[in-house]
Amino acid sequence: MNAKSIPNSLAALCLLALLLAGCGGPLRAAEGQTALANLIASQSGGNIELRSFTKTDGQKANMLGEQVYIMHFQGEIVFKQTCKWMYAPNLEDNMHFQISMPQRGTLDFNNFSPGVNMNAGTVVQITGQLIFEKRESGWSLATVERQTLSVRQ
């Protein structure tokens, strides 16, 4: 090895160390925002949109032998169409974002199911926790836990 290749090797080694140091660290706000936005879009068929997201805290933990990362957040979602949000805030702590669209001219059995009727443009403010599980491929969003929920028409 000559004297010129030592600085290059040292630089490559330092870069690798920096990359590996970030692999097990805390998740960034952007990762939480992307995971939540993707979950909302896939479950609602694009009819609910994540309008804002702020990470307020986070911590690594072990739950039942599994490595998890708990990201505390606050955010807003907006309903793009009038629908029934098939989530019952009084009955459920774990949030989901499935919806049902109104059916005209037929008996709508969704009237009898738990959930909340939402108008297009309704904004919901949420504070809660994103629970990520550590997998071989990286962190994966497992659960969204609600702490508070506020609806603005």
Side-chain angles (χ1 to χ4, degrees), residues 45-108:
N47 291 298
I48 304 174
E49 183 177 276
L50 182 63
R51 178 191 268 185
S52 68
F53 181 91
T54 303
K55 177 182 174 181
T56 58
D57 204 357
Q59 68 183 49
K60 278 188 178 180
N62 280 314
M63 292 179 143
L64 303 171
E66 297 291 327
Q67 188 178 7
V68 298
Y69 185 81
I70 303 166
M71 182 181 292
H72 302 267
F73 76 97
Q74 49 188 166
E76 288 184 342
I77 58 174
V78 64
F79 287 78
K80 295 163 77 175
Q81 295 187 40
T82 298
C83 61
K84 184 164 194 172
W85 186 13
M86 305 305 287
Y87 170 65
N90 297 334
L91 302 174
E92 304 174 84
D93 289 331
N94 292 345
M95 295 190 72
H96 54 86
F97 302 93
Q98 288 89 0
I99 63 161
S100 174
M101 301 304 286
Q103 304 293 319
R104 300 197 192 283
T106 63
L107 180 59
D108 189 358

Side-chain angles (χ1 to χ4, degrees), residues 77-80 117-124 151-153:
I77 58 174
V78 64
F79 287 78
K80 295 163 77 175
N117 291 320
M118 301 302 236
N119 292 319
T122 299
V123 176
V124 179
V151 177
R152 289 187 295 149
Q153 294 289 342

